[in-house]
Structure formats: C-alpha cells, structure tokens
Amino acid sequence: MFEALFSNRIRLCASGIIVMAVILCGQPAIGPAWAGPADVDSLSALGRNFEDAERQSVSGDPSAARALTGSVAALRQSGLPDEREGAAWMLQGRLLMLLDDAEGAAKAFDQSRRKFDDEHLEAAAEFLRVEALEMQGDDEEAAKRWSKW
C-alpha cells in the first residue's frame, strides 16, 4: 500500500513538474529571447493537452498521446528559445513514457536538461530521466544517477 501510494505521488509530482515547466517556460520573456506569441500559446496549449492525453493513455487509449507527441516534435523543430525548447523536450519525454518508449523518453529528458539554464528545471529533467532509465530496466545507470541527484 505504501509503495503504491509513494509511486503514485512521484507520478503526480512528475506530472506537476512538467506542466509547471511548460507553463513557466511558455510565458513571454522580455528581450530578444522571446520568439513571439505563437510559440508561447502553442507550448502552453500543448502542456494543457498533456493532462487529457495522460488520462486517456492510462485508460488504455494512447492515440491522444501519439498525436500530441507529433505536435510537440513539430513545435520543437520550429526554432524555440532554449528554455522553451527544454520545456518541449520535457513534455516530449513524458509523452514517450506514456507510450512505453522509455529509451526515447530518457533521451528527451537528457535533451531537456541540456537546454535549461535554471538548476531547478535541470533537476526536474534529471529526475524524470532517471525514472525513464528505471522504466527501461537500466537499474545500474539509474542507481548511479539517483546517488548524484
């Protein structure tokens, strides 16, 4: 019972981290880093759609997660500033986890971590990367990373 509750809390925490990163990184910045309102609106909307895709995937229908993965990849390739691209990579990684692609998710979280200039967002991406490594069955690498985290 405790293990199931703890595991569920970690999942909820991870989902919350992703949504917050997408929302925070999706807010307009002052200065040249802001690419314009279109990328902000798109990234924020994709972050909000993640919650629905997650619910549907848990219910056995991964179609929304699959479609959202394509949308996030397209937005990522549109030339976002680093912080927003990091948020998009994080969202992509979480979607790949929903689709049971732990290896792809671990790579996406690593890309996310590299784009962030904020230690808290980097730590969140690393946390999710370690979870993906565990899901992938790479317990040795995950244990090494947990000890550093």
Side-chain angles (χ1 to χ4, degrees):
M1 168 84 173
F2 175 75
E3 292 170 354
L5 180 62
F6 182 72
S7 178
N8 191 37
R9 282 188 178 183
I10 288 176
R11 271 192 224 104
L12 288 173
C13 177
S15 292
I17 289 168
I18 290 169
V19 171
M20 289 306 298
V22 169
I23 290 170
L24 290 174
C25 291
Q27 298 303 313
I30 297 172
W34 185 39
D39 77 305
V40 172
D41 293 342
S42 298
L43 188 55
S44 295
L46 292 173
R48 288 187 300 271
N49 291 338
F50 167 77
E51 294 294 326
D52 292 331
E54 184 176 41
R55 276 191 293 279
Q56 290 176 18
S57 289
V58 169
S59 298
D61 179 12
S63 62
R66 243 185 252 110
L68 196 55
T69 299
S71 298
V72 172
L75 182 63
R76 238 186 342 88
Q77 295 168 357
S78 70
L80 296 172
D82 280 352
E83 288 288 313
R84 288 180 191 79
E85 187 178 346
W89 274 112
M90 186 180 281
L91 184 57
Q92 179 111 21
R94 190 61 185 102
L95 287 162
L96 290 170
M97 285 182 76
L98 288 176
L99 297 170
D100 293 324
D101 181 359
E103 184 178 348
K107 289 177 183 176
F109 293 135
D110 186 48
Q111 287 294 324
S112 175
R113 181 186 56 79
R114 294 169 192 253
K115 293 291 180 179
F116 287 129
D117 193 26
D118 178 283
E119 68 182 86
H120 301 293
L121 294 173
E122 284 179 33
E126 183 63 16
F127 171 85
L128 292 166
R129 181 179 180 205
V130 173
E131 265 198 338
L133 289 169
E134 287 180 336
M135 183 179 165
Q136 184 178 329
D138 192 350
D139 293 335
E140 187 176 322
E141 183 65 23
K144 279 192 250 178
R145 295 198 177 277
W146 275 130
S147 67
K148 293 177 184 176
W149 194 75

Tab-separated table of all heavy atoms in Angstrom, residues 41-104:
chain	number	residue	atom	x	y	z
A	41	ASP	N	1.787	30.485	-26.995
A	41	ASP	CA	0.441	29.928	-26.979
A	41	ASP	C	0.454	28.446	-27.312
A	41	ASP	O	-0.242	27.658	-26.689
A	41	ASP	CB	-0.467	30.682	-27.955
A	41	ASP	CG	-0.719	32.123	-27.512
A	41	ASP	OD1	-0.489	32.422	-26.326
A	41	ASP	OD2	-1.120	32.932	-28.353
A	42	SER	N	1.239	28.070	-28.301
A	42	SER	CA	1.292	26.672	-28.721
A	42	SER	C	1.861	25.783	-27.621
A	42	SER	O	1.309	24.725	-27.333
A	42	SER	CB	2.146	26.525	-29.982
A	42	SER	OG	1.577	27.238	-31.042
A	43	LEU	N	2.950	26.198	-27.015
A	43	LEU	CA	3.578	25.396	-25.978
A	43	LEU	C	2.676	25.285	-24.758
A	43	LEU	O	2.518	24.202	-24.191
A	43	LEU	CB	4.936	25.990	-25.598
A	43	LEU	CG	5.806	25.176	-24.656
A	43	LEU	CD1	6.048	23.776	-25.188
A	43	LEU	CD2	7.134	25.888	-24.437
A	44	SER	N	2.063	26.372	-24.364
A	44	SER	CA	1.150	26.328	-23.218
A	44	SER	C	-0.047	25.431	-23.507
A	44	SER	O	-0.474	24.649	-22.653
A	44	SER	CB	0.665	27.736	-22.865
A	44	SER	OG	1.745	28.517	-22.422
A	45	ALA	N	-0.593	25.522	-24.710
A	45	ALA	CA	-1.734	24.687	-25.083
A	45	ALA	C	-1.344	23.210	-25.093
A	45	ALA	O	-2.099	22.356	-24.611
A	45	ALA	CB	-2.263	25.100	-26.450
A	46	LEU	N	-0.167	22.901	-25.606
A	46	LEU	CA	0.292	21.506	-25.622
A	46	LEU	C	0.473	20.988	-24.199
A	46	LEU	O	0.142	19.832	-23.909
A	46	LEU	CB	1.601	21.375	-26.410
A	46	LEU	CG	1.491	21.609	-27.912
A	46	LEU	CD1	2.874	21.617	-28.546
A	46	LEU	CD2	0.596	20.578	-28.572
A	47	GLY	N	0.972	21.842	-23.311
A	47	GLY	CA	1.120	21.447	-21.910
A	47	GLY	C	-0.213	21.143	-21.261
A	47	GLY	O	-0.358	20.180	-20.509
A	48	ARG	N	-1.204	21.959	-21.567
A	48	ARG	CA	-2.544	21.707	-21.017
A	48	ARG	C	-3.155	20.440	-21.616
A	48	ARG	O	-3.828	19.678	-20.926
A	48	ARG	CB	-3.453	22.911	-21.247
A	48	ARG	CG	-3.086	24.105	-20.357
A	48	ARG	CD	-4.103	25.227	-20.471
A	48	ARG	NE	-4.236	25.744	-21.820
A	48	ARG	CZ	-3.513	26.733	-22.334
A	48	ARG	NH1	-2.579	27.309	-21.595
A	48	ARG	NH2	-3.706	27.153	-23.558
A	49	ASN	N	-2.912	20.190	-22.896
A	49	ASN	CA	-3.438	18.992	-23.553
A	49	ASN	C	-2.781	17.715	-23.034
A	49	ASN	O	-3.344	16.636	-23.155
A	49	ASN	CB	-3.263	19.084	-25.065
A	49	ASN	CG	-4.148	20.132	-25.683
A	49	ASN	OD1	-5.160	20.525	-25.110
A	49	ASN	ND2	-3.768	20.613	-26.843
A	50	PHE	N	-1.597	17.851	-22.454
A	50	PHE	CA	-0.893	16.692	-21.904
A	50	PHE	C	-1.743	15.987	-20.847
A	50	PHE	O	-1.798	14.754	-20.810
A	50	PHE	CB	0.452	17.123	-21.301
A	50	PHE	CG	1.081	16.062	-20.460
A	50	PHE	CD1	1.713	14.986	-21.047
A	50	PHE	CD2	1.016	16.120	-19.079
A	50	PHE	CE1	2.280	13.982	-20.274
A	50	PHE	CE2	1.578	15.136	-18.295
A	50	PHE	CZ	2.216	14.059	-18.904
A	51	GLU	N	-2.401	16.758	-20.003
A	51	GLU	CA	-3.210	16.163	-18.938
A	51	GLU	C	-4.300	15.263	-19.509
A	51	GLU	O	-4.532	14.165	-19.012
A	51	GLU	CB	-3.823	17.252	-18.050
A	51	GLU	CG	-2.804	18.053	-17.261
A	51	GLU	CD	-2.072	17.235	-16.207
A	51	GLU	OE1	-2.678	16.327	-15.619
A	51	GLU	OE2	-0.892	17.523	-15.975
A	52	ASP	N	-4.967	15.719	-20.565
A	52	ASP	CA	-6.001	14.899	-21.199
A	52	ASP	C	-5.395	13.650	-21.834
A	52	ASP	O	-5.946	12.556	-21.723
A	52	ASP	CB	-6.762	15.702	-22.261
A	52	ASP	CG	-7.615	16.798	-21.657
A	52	ASP	OD1	-8.068	16.630	-20.498
A	52	ASP	OD2	-7.825	17.818	-22.327
A	53	ALA	N	-4.267	13.832	-22.514
A	53	ALA	CA	-3.608	12.691	-23.158
A	53	ALA	C	-3.174	11.660	-22.114
A	53	ALA	O	-3.283	10.451	-22.351
A	53	ALA	CB	-2.403	13.172	-23.964
A	54	GLU	N	-2.719	12.138	-20.963
A	54	GLU	CA	-2.303	11.226	-19.899
A	54	GLU	C	-3.488	10.422	-19.376
A	54	GLU	O	-3.407	9.206	-19.214
A	54	GLU	CB	-1.641	12.007	-18.764
A	54	GLU	CG	-1.099	11.121	-17.659
A	54	GLU	CD	-0.376	11.920	-16.595
A	54	GLU	OE1	-0.851	13.003	-16.207
A	54	GLU	OE2	0.681	11.442	-16.153
A	55	ARG	N	-4.593	11.102	-19.134
A	55	ARG	CA	-5.794	10.397	-18.660
A	55	ARG	C	-6.251	9.344	-19.665
A	55	ARG	O	-6.601	8.225	-19.298
A	55	ARG	CB	-6.931	11.387	-18.389
A	55	ARG	CG	-6.867	12.030	-17.017
A	55	ARG	CD	-8.151	12.782	-16.696
A	55	ARG	NE	-8.367	13.943	-17.540
A	55	ARG	CZ	-7.789	15.128	-17.351
A	55	ARG	NH1	-6.962	15.299	-16.344
A	55	ARG	NH2	-8.046	16.140	-18.145
A	56	GLN	N	-6.249	9.695	-20.939
A	56	GLN	CA	-6.678	8.753	-21.964
A	56	GLN	C	-5.719	7.568	-22.072
A	56	GLN	O	-6.156	6.433	-22.252
A	56	GLN	CB	-6.805	9.452	-23.319
A	56	GLN	CG	-7.975	10.411	-23.375
A	56	GLN	CD	-8.028	11.170	-24.689
A	56	GLN	OE1	-7.421	10.773	-25.675
A	56	GLN	NE2	-8.747	12.284	-24.691
A	57	SER	N	-4.425	7.838	-21.957
A	57	SER	CA	-3.438	6.752	-22.030
A	57	SER	C	-3.594	5.786	-20.870
A	57	SER	O	-3.513	4.570	-21.055
A	57	SER	CB	-2.014	7.313	-22.045
A	57	SER	OG	-1.761	7.948	-23.268
A	58	VAL	N	-3.807	6.311	-19.681
A	58	VAL	CA	-3.999	5.471	-18.508
A	58	VAL	C	-5.259	4.611	-18.681
A	58	VAL	O	-5.313	3.475	-18.231
A	58	VAL	CB	-4.073	6.329	-17.220
A	58	VAL	CG1	-4.538	5.521	-16.030
A	58	VAL	CG2	-2.719	6.965	-16.945
A	59	SER	N	-6.250	5.146	-19.394
A	59	SER	CA	-7.487	4.408	-19.654
A	59	SER	C	-7.345	3.428	-20.819
A	59	SER	O	-8.304	2.767	-21.182
A	59	SER	CB	-8.626	5.379	-19.963
A	59	SER	OG	-8.863	6.210	-18.865
A	60	GLY	N	-6.159	3.374	-21.424
A	60	GLY	CA	-5.909	2.407	-22.490
A	60	GLY	C	-5.968	2.962	-23.902
A	60	GLY	O	-5.865	2.213	-24.867
A	61	ASP	N	-6.129	4.269	-24.059
A	61	ASP	CA	-6.193	4.869	-25.386
A	61	ASP	C	-5.011	5.826	-25.584
A	61	ASP	O	-5.067	6.985	-25.170
A	61	ASP	CB	-7.514	5.625	-25.558
A	61	ASP	CG	-7.635	6.294	-26.918
A	61	ASP	OD1	-6.819	5.991	-27.818
A	61	ASP	OD2	-8.558	7.121	-27.081
A	62	PRO	N	-3.927	5.340	-26.224
A	62	PRO	CA	-2.742	6.185	-26.399
A	62	PRO	C	-2.806	7.120	-27.606
A	62	PRO	O	-1.840	7.821	-27.884
A	62	PRO	CB	-1.624	5.160	-26.569
A	62	PRO	CG	-2.301	4.008	-27.246
A	62	PRO	CD	-3.700	3.972	-26.673
A	63	SER	N	-3.915	7.168	-28.322
A	63	SER	CA	-3.976	7.953	-29.558
A	63	SER	C	-3.717	9.443	-29.326
A	63	SER	O	-3.037	10.087	-30.124
A	63	SER	CB	-5.307	7.736	-30.276
A	63	SER	OG	-6.385	8.159	-29.467
A	64	ALA	N	-4.255	9.999	-28.250
A	64	ALA	CA	-4.040	11.427	-27.969
A	64	ALA	C	-2.568	11.694	-27.657
A	64	ALA	O	-2.008	12.702	-28.101
A	64	ALA	CB	-4.924	11.880	-26.820
A	65	ALA	N	-1.934	10.791	-26.906
A	65	ALA	CA	-0.509	10.957	-26.587
A	65	ALA	C	0.335	10.871	-27.857
A	65	ALA	O	1.285	11.640	-28.038
A	65	ALA	CB	-0.068	9.910	-25.578
A	66	ARG	N	-0.020	9.946	-28.747
A	66	ARG	CA	0.708	9.809	-30.009
A	66	ARG	C	0.588	11.088	-30.843
A	66	ARG	O	1.590	11.586	-31.371
A	66	ARG	CB	0.160	8.624	-30.803
A	66	ARG	CG	1.185	7.558	-31.002
A	66	ARG	CD	0.698	6.431	-31.896
A	66	ARG	NE	0.465	5.264	-31.041
A	66	ARG	CZ	-0.718	4.753	-30.749
A	66	ARG	NH1	-1.809	5.243	-31.263
A	66	ARG	NH2	-0.810	3.720	-29.959
A	67	ALA	N	-0.634	11.595	-30.957
A	67	ALA	CA	-0.858	12.813	-31.739
A	67	ALA	C	-0.140	14.006	-31.116
A	67	ALA	O	0.476	14.815	-31.824
A	67	ALA	CB	-2.355	13.091	-31.845
A	68	LEU	N	-0.188	14.108	-29.808
A	68	LEU	CA	0.450	15.218	-29.106
A	68	LEU	C	1.970	15.148	-29.246
A	68	LEU	O	2.632	16.176	-29.369
A	68	LEU	CB	0.029	15.211	-27.635
A	68	LEU	CG	0.275	16.468	-26.828
A	68	LEU	CD1	-0.354	17.690	-27.485
A	68	LEU	CD2	-0.272	16.291	-25.423
A	69	THR	N	2.516	13.937	-29.277
A	69	THR	CA	3.963	13.764	-29.467
A	69	THR	C	4.402	14.375	-30.790
A	69	THR	O	5.424	15.063	-30.860
A	69	THR	CB	4.343	12.269	-29.406
A	69	THR	OG1	3.988	11.772	-28.123
A	69	THR	CG2	5.831	12.062	-29.605
A	70	GLY	N	3.621	14.140	-31.830
A	70	GLY	CA	3.935	14.732	-33.130
A	70	GLY	C	3.860	16.246	-33.113
A	70	GLY	O	4.701	16.933	-33.699
A	71	SER	N	2.867	16.785	-32.414
A	71	SER	CA	2.710	18.237	-32.320
A	71	SER	C	3.869	18.869	-31.556
A	71	SER	O	4.379	19.925	-31.939
A	71	SER	CB	1.391	18.592	-31.628
A	71	SER	OG	0.301	18.115	-32.363
A	72	VAL	N	4.287	18.215	-30.471
A	72	VAL	CA	5.403	18.740	-29.675
A	72	VAL	C	6.689	18.702	-30.500
A	72	VAL	O	7.467	19.663	-30.496
A	72	VAL	CB	5.563	17.950	-28.355
A	72	VAL	CG1	6.837	18.355	-27.627
A	72	VAL	CG2	4.361	18.169	-27.459
A	73	ALA	N	6.920	17.609	-31.227
A	73	ALA	CA	8.126	17.498	-32.057
A	73	ALA	C	8.143	18.600	-33.118
A	73	ALA	O	9.191	19.223	-33.361
A	73	ALA	CB	8.195	16.122	-32.708
A	74	ALA	N	7.012	18.856	-33.740
A	74	ALA	CA	6.942	19.901	-34.761
A	74	ALA	C	7.234	21.271	-34.159
A	74	ALA	O	7.973	22.074	-34.745
A	74	ALA	CB	5.560	19.889	-35.421
A	75	LEU	N	6.678	21.549	-32.985
A	75	LEU	CA	6.928	22.832	-32.331
A	75	LEU	C	8.397	22.954	-31.931
A	75	LEU	O	9.013	24.010	-32.109
A	75	LEU	CB	6.028	23.002	-31.102
A	75	LEU	CG	6.174	24.333	-30.374
A	75	LEU	CD1	5.764	25.500	-31.274
A	75	LEU	CD2	5.353	24.343	-29.102
A	76	ARG	N	8.966	21.860	-31.417
A	76	ARG	CA	10.376	21.868	-31.017
A	76	ARG	C	11.285	22.232	-32.186
A	76	ARG	O	12.285	22.916	-32.022
A	76	ARG	CB	10.757	20.466	-30.519
A	76	ARG	CG	11.274	20.393	-29.165
A	76	ARG	CD	11.772	19.023	-28.746
A	76	ARG	NE	11.379	17.852	-29.484
A	76	ARG	CZ	12.027	17.369	-30.551
A	76	ARG	NH1	13.091	17.957	-31.009
A	76	ARG	NH2	11.604	16.279	-31.157
A	77	GLN	N	10.934	21.769	-33.357
A	77	GLN	CA	11.769	21.998	-34.538
A	77	GLN	C	11.530	23.357	-35.179
A	77	GLN	O	12.165	23.692	-36.174
A	77	GLN	CB	11.529	20.875	-35.551
A	77	GLN	CG	11.987	19.534	-35.026
A	77	GLN	CD	11.512	18.365	-35.879
A	77	GLN	OE1	10.797	18.542	-36.846
A	77	GLN	NE2	11.926	17.173	-35.494
A	78	SER	N	10.643	24.142	-34.588
A	78	SER	CA	10.315	25.447	-35.173
A	78	SER	C	11.276	26.553	-34.747
A	78	SER	O	11.090	27.699	-35.134
A	78	SER	CB	8.877	25.836	-34.813
A	78	SER	OG	8.771	26.147	-33.435
A	79	GLY	N	12.277	26.228	-33.952
A	79	GLY	CA	13.260	27.231	-33.561
A	79	GLY	C	12.910	27.982	-32.286
A	79	GLY	O	13.017	29.199	-32.236
A	80	LEU	N	12.496	27.259	-31.261
A	80	LEU	CA	12.168	27.874	-29.972
A	80	LEU	C	13.425	28.324	-29.244
A	80	LEU	O	14.489	27.720	-29.402
A	80	LEU	CB	11.443	26.860	-29.083
A	80	LEU	CG	10.093	26.348	-29.547
A	80	LEU	CD1	9.631	25.220	-28.633
A	80	LEU	CD2	9.079	27.463	-29.546
A	81	PRO	N	13.322	29.334	-28.384
A	81	PRO	CA	14.440	29.681	-27.497
A	81	PRO	C	14.728	28.494	-26.562
A	81	PRO	O	13.852	27.647	-26.332
A	81	PRO	CB	13.918	30.879	-26.700
A	81	PRO	CG	12.780	31.416	-27.496
A	81	PRO	CD	12.196	30.258	-28.236
A	82	ASP	N	15.931	28.418	-26.032
A	82	ASP	CA	16.379	27.253	-25.258
A	82	ASP	C	15.432	26.841	-24.135
A	82	ASP	O	15.113	25.669	-23.997
A	82	ASP	CB	17.770	27.488	-24.671
A	82	ASP	CG	18.862	27.266	-25.712
A	82	ASP	OD1	18.555	26.788	-26.819
A	82	ASP	OD2	20.024	27.583	-25.402
A	83	GLU	N	14.988	27.788	-23.302
A	83	GLU	CA	14.121	27.424	-22.174
A	83	GLU	C	12.824	26.781	-22.657
A	83	GLU	O	12.353	25.808	-22.098
A	83	GLU	CB	13.809	28.643	-21.301
A	83	GLU	CG	14.979	29.127	-20.478
A	83	GLU	CD	15.331	28.205	-19.324
A	83	GLU	OE1	14.433	27.789	-18.586
A	83	GLU	OE2	16.526	27.924	-19.160
A	84	ARG	N	12.256	27.336	-23.707
A	84	ARG	CA	11.008	26.771	-24.249
A	84	ARG	C	11.271	25.439	-24.931
A	84	ARG	O	10.456	24.523	-24.859
A	84	ARG	CB	10.343	27.766	-25.192
A	84	ARG	CG	9.745	28.927	-24.426
A	84	ARG	CD	9.079	29.916	-25.359
A	84	ARG	NE	8.742	31.119	-24.633
A	84	ARG	CZ	9.606	32.070	-24.318
A	84	ARG	NH1	10.866	31.962	-24.647
A	84	ARG	NH2	9.217	33.123	-23.645
A	85	GLU	N	12.404	25.339	-25.601
A	85	GLU	CA	12.751	24.054	-26.217
A	85	GLU	C	12.978	22.998	-25.140
A	85	GLU	O	12.591	21.839	-25.290
A	85	GLU	CB	13.989	24.186	-27.102
A	85	GLU	CG	14.266	22.921	-27.883
A	85	GLU	CD	15.461	23.029	-28.812
A	85	GLU	OE1	15.947	24.143	-29.081
A	85	GLU	OE2	15.918	21.963	-29.262
A	86	GLY	N	13.581	23.391	-24.025
A	86	GLY	CA	13.763	22.469	-22.901
A	86	GLY	C	12.430	21.974	-22.366
A	86	GLY	O	12.255	20.790	-22.073
A	87	ALA	N	11.466	22.892	-22.243
A	87	ALA	CA	10.130	22.508	-21.782
A	87	ALA	C	9.468	21.567	-22.787
A	87	ALA	O	8.817	20.591	-22.406
A	87	ALA	CB	9.273	23.744	-21.566
A	88	ALA	N	9.653	21.836	-24.072
A	88	ALA	CA	9.071	20.979	-25.104
A	88	ALA	C	9.710	19.588	-25.070
A	88	ALA	O	9.016	18.572	-25.204
A	88	ALA	CB	9.243	21.619	-26.476
A	89	TRP	N	11.032	19.513	-24.869
A	89	TRP	CA	11.695	18.217	-24.743
A	89	TRP	C	11.176	17.460	-23.525
A	89	TRP	O	10.990	16.242	-23.557
A	89	TRP	CB	13.217	18.385	-24.626
A	89	TRP	CG	13.943	18.467	-25.930
A	89	TRP	CD1	14.589	19.554	-26.434
A	89	TRP	CD2	14.125	17.421	-26.900
A	89	TRP	NE1	15.145	19.246	-27.651
A	89	TRP	CE2	14.879	17.947	-27.955
A	89	TRP	CE3	13.708	16.091	-26.957
A	89	TRP	CZ2	15.243	17.191	-29.070
A	89	TRP	CZ3	14.069	15.334	-28.071
A	89	TRP	CH2	14.826	15.881	-29.105
A	90	MET	N	10.955	18.180	-22.428
A	90	MET	CA	10.449	17.540	-21.215
A	90	MET	C	9.053	16.967	-21.459
A	90	MET	O	8.755	15.839	-21.071
A	90	MET	CB	10.431	18.538	-20.052
A	90	MET	CG	10.063	17.901	-18.717
A	90	MET	SD	10.037	19.090	-17.356
A	90	MET	CE	11.783	19.237	-17.000
A	91	LEU	N	8.225	17.742	-22.110
A	91	LEU	CA	6.882	17.284	-22.438
A	91	LEU	C	6.946	16.081	-23.380
A	91	LEU	O	6.230	15.097	-23.200
A	91	LEU	CB	6.084	18.432	-23.063
A	91	LEU	CG	4.622	18.173	-23.380
A	91	LEU	CD1	3.855	17.739	-22.130
A	91	LEU	CD2	4.003	19.426	-23.978
A	92	GLN	N	7.829	16.145	-24.360
A	92	GLN	CA	8.005	15.027	-25.296
A	92	GLN	C	8.429	13.760	-24.540
A	92	GLN	O	7.913	12.675	-24.787
A	92	GLN	CB	9.067	15.380	-26.337
A	92	GLN	CG	9.334	14.270	-27.325
A	92	GLN	CD	8.848	14.618	-28.703
A	92	GLN	OE1	8.660	15.777	-29.023
A	92	GLN	NE2	8.640	13.629	-29.516
A	93	GLY	N	9.347	13.905	-23.608
A	93	GLY	CA	9.798	12.751	-22.828
A	93	GLY	C	8.674	12.125	-22.028
A	93	GLY	O	8.533	10.903	-21.973
A	94	ARG	N	7.862	12.958	-21.417
A	94	ARG	CA	6.748	12.424	-20.620
A	94	ARG	C	5.731	11.716	-21.507
A	94	ARG	O	5.199	10.678	-21.149
A	94	ARG	CB	6.099	13.556	-19.823
A	94	ARG	CG	5.113	13.081	-18.799
A	94	ARG	CD	5.782	12.174	-17.750
A	94	ARG	NE	4.776	11.658	-16.862
A	94	ARG	CZ	4.270	10.425	-16.934
A	94	ARG	NH1	4.688	9.591	-17.837
A	94	ARG	NH2	3.351	10.032	-16.084
A	95	LEU	N	5.488	12.266	-22.692
A	95	LEU	CA	4.586	11.611	-23.629
A	95	LEU	C	5.156	10.265	-24.082
A	95	LEU	O	4.426	9.276	-24.189
A	95	LEU	CB	4.329	12.513	-24.840
A	95	LEU	CG	3.416	13.709	-24.570
A	95	LEU	CD1	3.566	14.767	-25.656
A	95	LEU	CD2	1.972	13.259	-24.428
A	96	LEU	N	6.461	10.223	-24.320
A	96	LEU	CA	7.092	8.957	-24.719
A	96	LEU	C	6.994	7.920	-23.604
A	96	LEU	O	6.842	6.723	-23.869
A	96	LEU	CB	8.544	9.190	-25.138
A	96	LEU	CG	8.708	9.952	-26.458
A	96	LEU	CD1	10.163	10.355	-26.678
A	96	LEU	CD2	8.182	9.141	-27.627
A	97	MET	N	7.052	8.363	-22.354
A	97	MET	CA	6.859	7.428	-21.245
A	97	MET	C	5.436	6.867	-21.262
A	97	MET	O	5.237	5.688	-21.014
A	97	MET	CB	7.171	8.090	-19.902
A	97	MET	CG	8.663	8.271	-19.669
A	97	MET	SD	9.049	8.998	-18.071
A	97	MET	CE	8.797	7.599	-16.981
A	98	LEU	N	4.463	7.718	-21.557
A	98	LEU	CA	3.082	7.239	-21.659
A	98	LEU	C	2.946	6.187	-22.761
A	98	LEU	O	2.118	5.289	-22.669
A	98	LEU	CB	2.128	8.399	-21.966
A	98	LEU	CG	1.846	9.395	-20.859
A	98	LEU	CD1	0.962	10.517	-21.378
A	98	LEU	CD2	1.207	8.713	-19.656
A	99	LEU	N	3.767	6.331	-23.795
A	99	LEU	CA	3.724	5.402	-24.928
A	99	LEU	C	4.685	4.226	-24.747
A	99	LEU	O	4.955	3.493	-25.697
A	99	LEU	CB	4.038	6.163	-26.223
A	99	LEU	CG	3.027	7.253	-26.585
A	99	LEU	CD1	3.545	8.112	-27.736
A	99	LEU	CD2	1.680	6.638	-26.917
A	100	ASP	N	5.206	4.057	-23.532
A	100	ASP	CA	6.129	2.966	-23.181
A	100	ASP	C	7.431	2.982	-23.977
A	100	ASP	O	8.036	1.936	-24.225
A	100	ASP	CB	5.439	1.598	-23.319
A	100	ASP	CG	4.337	1.417	-22.294
A	100	ASP	OD1	4.514	1.894	-21.160
A	100	ASP	OD2	3.307	0.811	-22.638
A	101	ASP	N	7.885	4.151	-24.381
A	101	ASP	CA	9.175	4.300	-25.054
A	101	ASP	C	10.156	4.909	-24.060
A	101	ASP	O	10.480	6.100	-24.113
A	101	ASP	CB	9.042	5.175	-26.300
A	101	ASP	CG	10.352	5.338	-27.062
A	101	ASP	OD1	11.387	4.794	-26.626
A	101	ASP	OD2	10.330	6.035	-28.096
A	102	ALA	N	10.600	4.075	-23.121
A	102	ALA	CA	11.471	4.560	-22.046
A	102	ALA	C	12.811	5.060	-22.576
A	102	ALA	O	13.346	6.062	-22.073
A	102	ALA	CB	11.688	3.458	-21.014
A	103	GLU	N	13.346	4.396	-23.574
A	103	GLU	CA	14.642	4.815	-24.129
A	103	GLU	C	14.524	6.199	-24.780
A	103	GLU	O	15.348	7.082	-24.551
A	103	GLU	CB	15.135	3.799	-25.154
A	103	GLU	CG	16.515	4.120	-25.692
A	103	GLU	CD	17.012	3.073	-26.665
A	103	GLU	OE1	16.416	1.985	-26.773
A	103	GLU	OE2	18.042	3.350	-27.313
A	104	GLY	N	13.475	6.387	-25.575
A	104	GLY	CA	13.247	7.699	-26.189
A	104	GLY	C	12.988	8.768	-25.146
A	104	GLY	O	13.440	9.903	-25.275
